[in-house]
PDB file of all heavy atoms in Angstrom:
ATOM      1  N   LYS A  66      20.680   1.055 -35.706  1.00 97.00           N
ATOM      2  CA  LYS A  66      21.938   0.297 -35.663  1.00 97.00           C
ATOM      3  C   LYS A  66      23.061   1.103 -35.004  1.00 97.00           C
ATOM      4  O   LYS A  66      23.815   0.577 -34.177  1.00 97.00           O
ATOM      5  CB  LYS A  66      22.344  -0.105 -37.087  1.00 97.00           C
ATOM      6  CG  LYS A  66      23.500  -1.063 -37.098  1.00 97.00           C
ATOM      7  CD  LYS A  66      23.763  -1.594 -38.478  1.00 97.00           C
ATOM      8  CE  LYS A  66      24.956  -2.518 -38.462  1.00 97.00           C
ATOM      9  NZ  LYS A  66      25.284  -3.010 -39.789  1.00 97.00           N
ATOM     10  N   VAL A  69      22.557   0.879 -31.329  1.00 98.00           N
ATOM     11  CA  VAL A  69      22.857  -0.436 -30.734  1.00 98.00           C
ATOM     12  C   VAL A  69      24.375  -0.662 -30.703  1.00 98.00           C
ATOM     13  O   VAL A  69      24.908  -1.262 -29.771  1.00 98.00           O
ATOM     14  CB  VAL A  69      22.117  -1.566 -31.491  1.00 98.00           C
ATOM     15  CG1 VAL A  69      22.516  -2.935 -30.955  1.00 98.00           C
ATOM     16  CG2 VAL A  69      20.606  -1.375 -31.357  1.00 98.00           C
ATOM     17  N   GLN A  70      25.062  -0.126 -31.693  1.00 98.00           N
ATOM     18  CA  GLN A  70      26.530  -0.214 -31.719  1.00 98.00           C
ATOM     19  C   GLN A  70      27.125   0.425 -30.453  1.00 98.00           C
ATOM     20  O   GLN A  70      28.010  -0.140 -29.814  1.00 98.00           O
ATOM     21  CB  GLN A  70      27.027   0.553 -32.947  1.00 98.00           C
ATOM     22  CG  GLN A  70      28.480   0.358 -33.274  1.00 98.00           C
ATOM     23  CD  GLN A  70      28.705  -0.958 -33.992  1.00 98.00           C
ATOM     24  OE1 GLN A  70      28.110  -1.177 -35.046  1.00 98.00           O
ATOM     25  NE2 GLN A  70      29.514  -1.819 -33.415  1.00 98.00           N
ATOM     26  N   HIS A  73      26.473  -1.747 -27.372  1.00 98.00           N
ATOM     27  CA  HIS A  73      27.424  -2.863 -27.301  1.00 98.00           C
ATOM     28  C   HIS A  73      28.705  -2.394 -26.607  1.00 98.00           C
ATOM     29  O   HIS A  73      29.245  -3.074 -25.738  1.00 98.00           O
ATOM     30  CB  HIS A  73      27.712  -3.358 -28.726  1.00 98.00           C
ATOM     31  CG  HIS A  73      28.599  -4.558 -28.762  1.00 98.00           C
ATOM     32  ND1 HIS A  73      29.945  -4.460 -29.007  1.00 98.00           N
ATOM     33  CD2 HIS A  73      28.342  -5.869 -28.556  1.00 98.00           C
ATOM     34  CE1 HIS A  73      30.486  -5.669 -28.959  1.00 98.00           C
ATOM     35  NE2 HIS A  73      29.527  -6.532 -28.696  1.00 98.00           N
ATOM     36  N   ILE A  98      21.019  -5.980 -37.471  1.00 98.00           N
ATOM     37  CA  ILE A  98      21.580  -5.231 -36.325  1.00 98.00           C
ATOM     38  C   ILE A  98      22.206  -6.198 -35.314  1.00 98.00           C
ATOM     39  O   ILE A  98      23.424  -6.190 -35.106  1.00 98.00           O
ATOM     40  CB  ILE A  98      20.506  -4.350 -35.644  1.00 98.00           C
ATOM     41  CG1 ILE A  98      19.941  -3.331 -36.649  1.00 98.00           C
ATOM     42  CG2 ILE A  98      21.104  -3.640 -34.438  1.00 98.00           C
ATOM     43  CD1 ILE A  98      18.932  -2.349 -36.072  1.00 98.00           C
ATOM     44  N   LEU A  99      21.377  -7.037 -34.702  1.00 98.00           N
ATOM     45  CA  LEU A  99      21.870  -7.804 -33.548  1.00 98.00           C
ATOM     46  C   LEU A  99      22.885  -8.872 -33.942  1.00 98.00           C
ATOM     47  O   LEU A  99      23.944  -8.998 -33.322  1.00 98.00           O
ATOM     48  CB  LEU A  99      20.686  -8.397 -32.782  1.00 98.00           C
ATOM     49  CG  LEU A  99      19.834  -7.304 -32.121  1.00 98.00           C
ATOM     50  CD1 LEU A  99      18.488  -7.851 -31.660  1.00 98.00           C
ATOM     51  CD2 LEU A  99      20.574  -6.682 -30.923  1.00 98.00           C
ATOM     52  N   ASN A 100      22.576  -9.636 -34.996  1.00 98.00           N
ATOM     53  CA  ASN A 100      23.551 -10.663 -35.414  1.00 98.00           C
ATOM     54  C   ASN A 100      24.870 -10.014 -35.827  1.00 98.00           C
ATOM     55  O   ASN A 100      25.950 -10.544 -35.569  1.00 98.00           O
ATOM     56  CB  ASN A 100      23.016 -11.486 -36.585  1.00 98.00           C
ATOM     57  CG  ASN A 100      22.037 -12.548 -36.097  1.00 98.00           C
ATOM     58  OD1 ASN A 100      21.854 -12.710 -34.892  1.00 98.00           O
ATOM     59  ND2 ASN A 100      21.391 -13.244 -37.028  1.00 98.00           N
ATOM     60  N   LYS A 101      24.764  -8.857 -36.460  1.00 98.00           N
ATOM     61  CA  LYS A 101      25.991  -8.190 -36.958  1.00 98.00           C
ATOM     62  C   LYS A 101      26.814  -7.646 -35.788  1.00 98.00           C
ATOM     63  O   LYS A 101      28.031  -7.789 -35.756  1.00 98.00           O
ATOM     64  CB  LYS A 101      25.616  -7.016 -37.886  1.00 98.00           C
ATOM     65  CG  LYS A 101      25.082  -7.463 -39.227  1.00 98.00           C
ATOM     66  CD  LYS A 101      26.126  -7.210 -40.303  1.00 98.00           C
ATOM     67  CE  LYS A 101      25.964  -7.989 -41.580  1.00 98.00           C
ATOM     68  NZ  LYS A 101      24.708  -8.462 -42.002  1.00 98.00           N
ATOM     69  N   ILE A 102      26.146  -7.003 -34.832  1.00 98.00           N
ATOM     70  CA  ILE A 102      26.896  -6.326 -33.758  1.00 98.00           C
ATOM     71  C   ILE A 102      27.272  -7.282 -32.626  1.00 98.00           C
ATOM     72  O   ILE A 102      28.400  -7.269 -32.151  1.00 98.00           O
ATOM     73  CB  ILE A 102      26.075  -5.123 -33.219  1.00 98.00           C
ATOM     74  CG1 ILE A 102      25.897  -4.087 -34.335  1.00 98.00           C
ATOM     75  CG2 ILE A 102      26.751  -4.485 -32.003  1.00 98.00           C
ATOM     76  CD1 ILE A 102      24.986  -2.931 -33.986  1.00 98.00           C
ATOM     77  N   PHE A 103      26.323  -8.124 -32.208  1.00 98.00           N
ATOM     78  CA  PHE A 103      26.601  -9.019 -31.072  1.00 98.00           C
ATOM     79  C   PHE A 103      27.136 -10.374 -31.529  1.00 98.00           C
ATOM     80  O   PHE A 103      27.779 -11.075 -30.759  1.00 98.00           O
ATOM     81  CB  PHE A 103      25.337  -9.206 -30.217  1.00 98.00           C
ATOM     82  CG  PHE A 103      25.086  -8.027 -29.317  1.00 98.00           C
ATOM     83  CD1 PHE A 103      24.467  -6.883 -29.804  1.00 98.00           C
ATOM     84  CD2 PHE A 103      25.512  -8.034 -28.009  1.00 98.00           C
ATOM     85  CE1 PHE A 103      24.268  -5.776 -28.997  1.00 98.00           C
ATOM     86  CE2 PHE A 103      25.317  -6.940 -27.187  1.00 98.00           C
ATOM     87  CZ  PHE A 103      24.702  -5.805 -27.681  1.00 98.00           C
ATOM     88  N   GLY A 104      26.874 -10.744 -32.786  1.00 98.00           N
ATOM     89  CA  GLY A 104      27.312 -12.036 -33.306  1.00 98.00           C
ATOM     90  C   GLY A 104      26.233 -13.091 -33.077  1.00 98.00           C
ATOM     91  O   GLY A 104      25.618 -13.127 -32.012  1.00 98.00           O
TER      92      GLY A 104
END
Side-chain angles (χ1 to χ4, degrees):
K66 189 172 178 183
V69 175
Q70 191 79 58
H73 184 262
I98 300 183
L99 293 166
N100 280 355
K101 288 253 160 26
I102 296 174
F103 282 81

